[in-house]
Amino acid sequence: MIAFVSGQVAALAPDTAVIEVGGVGMAVQCAPNTLAALRVGRPARLSTSLVVREDSLTLYGFADDDERQVFELLQTVSGVGPRLAQTMLAVHSPDALRSAVAGGDEKALTAVPGIGKKGAQRLLLELKDRLGAPLGPGAATGVGTAVGASWREQLHAALLGLGYATREADEAVATVTPQAEAAAEPNVGALLRSALQSLNRTR
């Protein structure tokens, strides 16, 4: 089990960060809001979860241990694999997921691409009393802010990475532009959640 990786960021892609660890480049699959906090050439520390399949070994990275633990717990639900679990954490913070499950909020869960009404009901049933209570507004998210000049490109790439069409991504970016321009340093993670909410409303 690789619990975390720490080192210099060697490269970034829409869904992957390459972290140099002891001269070896570790490719880590990350949600867009986690990638938004990373910079090429800067040190980083990501909590990680290794997913083993017959034909692959995939390392998933997270801003903190709480995200990783929730990611692993989500996969205990039937029908939820690592990609869907990571998408859930791209749309909702761990605390938001705890609140949704505790409150039986199907609508919040169906806002995640790939989760329908039946899937939301299964999540609520299987995760009840397992995710725990929200940690509160003071809980650290570990997600930093992105450089203002590049938030559009990062957000657009994140939406494409989640499976949305170019037209849908363009419309979502336009929808959250006022929110981004009102912030001194746009937070791509927060913008992504707003964009996904707007896309869910139009479907």
Side-chain angles (χ1 to χ4, degrees), residues 72-83:
E72 292 174 347
L73 183 57
L74 290 172
Q75 291 177 75
T76 64
V77 177
S78 55
V80 177
R83 295 296 293 183

Side-chain angles (χ1 to χ4, degrees), residues 34-94:
T34 301
L35 290 170
L38 305 178
R39 298 288 176 272
V40 174
R42 299 286 298 276
R45 184 186 188 279
L46 296 173
S47 295
T48 56
S49 178
L50 181 63
V51 176
V52 180
R53 296 286 185 264
E54 285 186 7
D55 58 349
S56 66
L57 294 173
T58 307
L59 199 59
Y60 289 85
F62 308 92
D64 56 34
D65 290 343
D66 187 34
E67 278 194 6
R68 183 192 66 206
Q69 290 163 3
V70 171
F71 169 80
E72 292 174 347
L73 183 57
L74 290 172
Q75 291 177 75
T76 64
V77 177
S78 55
V80 177
R83 295 296 293 183
L84 182 55
Q86 191 174 59
T87 299
M88 292 176 70
L89 286 166
V91 178
H92 297 299
S93 67

Side-chain angles (χ1 to χ4, degrees), residues 7-20 24-30 35 38-42 44 46:
Q8 190 175 84
V9 180
L12 292 171
D15 62 354
T16 308
V18 178
I19 309 296
E20 184 177 345
V24 177
M26 305 283 286
V28 186
Q29 296 278 320
C30 300
L35 290 170
L38 305 178
R39 298 288 176 272
V40 174
R42 299 286 298 276
L46 296 173

Side-chain angles (χ1 to χ4, degrees), residues 101-119:
V101 171
D105 189 350
E106 283 184 22
K107 187 175 180 181
L109 296 178
T110 56
V112 178
I115 296 181
K117 185 177 178 64
K118 287 185 177 179

Side-chain angles (χ1 to χ4, degrees), residues 148-162:
S150 64
W151 71 265
R152 290 176 190 273
E153 291 83 356
Q154 291 187 33
L155 180 59
H156 196 271
L159 292 166
L160 294 179
L162 289 173

Side-chain angles (χ1 to χ4, degrees), residues 123-190:
L123 282 161
L124 292 174
L125 178 65
E126 295 189 30
L127 290 176
K128 186 180 180 182
D129 301 325
R130 295 180 64 202
L131 271 181
L135 301 180
T141 63
V143 178
T145 55
V147 177
S150 64
W151 71 265
R152 290 176 190 273
E153 291 83 356
Q154 291 187 33
L155 180 59
H156 196 271
L159 292 166
L160 294 179
L162 289 173
Y164 287 98
T166 300
R167 178 185 57 80
E168 292 177 308
D170 290 341
E171 292 173 356
V173 170
T175 299
V176 302
T177 293
Q179 176 185 340
E181 292 179 344
E185 294 184 2
N187 183 308
V188 176

